[in-house]
Amino acid sequence: MSERVPQAWEVWHARFDFSEGHGYKYRPVIVLATRSDGSLVAMITGATNKLSLKHDYPIREWKTAGLDRPSIARLDRIVQIPFDYLGTAGRIGHLAKADIAAIEMILAEITR
């Protein structure tokens, strides 16, 4: 893992193990919070033409976030991951203020 501690609203690559237990894939995530035992993250998908979930948010400034294509934050898909599951390349970007504000509103709705 990078020596840098992830901060809220940064975009990182994170390791996700396959459910069958064989192998893994790196996917971009938004760091929502950092705890002593890992990070709370929201999953990001570049599959913008697929099934839309109720709390999906299309990241408006995806280039600013370090993403290589239009992407959706899956705010119904929040998980805690260990620090060593974050990519060795470190942070890939940071969300723009407008995207942060919109996501905060959705998260407030979810946690109500």
Side-chain angles (χ1 to χ4, degrees), residues 9 31 34 64-65 73 81 87 95 101-102:
W9 309 117
V31 176
T34 301
T64 299
I81 61 171
L95 290 180

Side-chain angles (χ1 to χ4, degrees), residues 74-92:
R74 290 254 150 114
L75 301 174
D76 283 334
R77 306 287 166 103
I78 296 173
V79 297
Q80 183 167 333
I81 61 171
F83 287 127
D84 61 353
Y85 273 40
L86 292 175
T88 56
R91 179 182 93 129
I92 60 173

Side-chain angles (χ1 to χ4, degrees), residues 28-104:
V29 296
I30 300 167
V31 176
L32 300 174
T34 301
R35 300 175 176 173
S36 61
D37 56 349
S39 293
L40 192 64
V41 300
M43 300 169 85
I44 296 175
T45 182
T48 58
N49 62 342
K50 302 266 177 159
L51 173 69
S52 176
L53 302 174
K54 180 179 179 182
H55 296 108
D56 281 358
Y57 172 74
I59 299 170
R60 306 276 188 243
E61 296 188 43
W62 53 272
K63 288 181 183 177
T64 299
L67 301 165
D68 60 1
R69 64 178 171 247
S71 299
I72 294 172
R74 290 254 150 114
L75 301 174
D76 283 334
R77 306 287 166 103
I78 296 173
V79 297
Q80 183 167 333
I81 61 171
F83 287 127
D84 61 353
Y85 273 40
L86 292 175
T88 56
R91 179 182 93 129
I92 60 173
H94 192 283
L95 290 180
K97 289 181 182 181
D99 286 324
I100 293 170
I103 290 172
E104 286 178 327

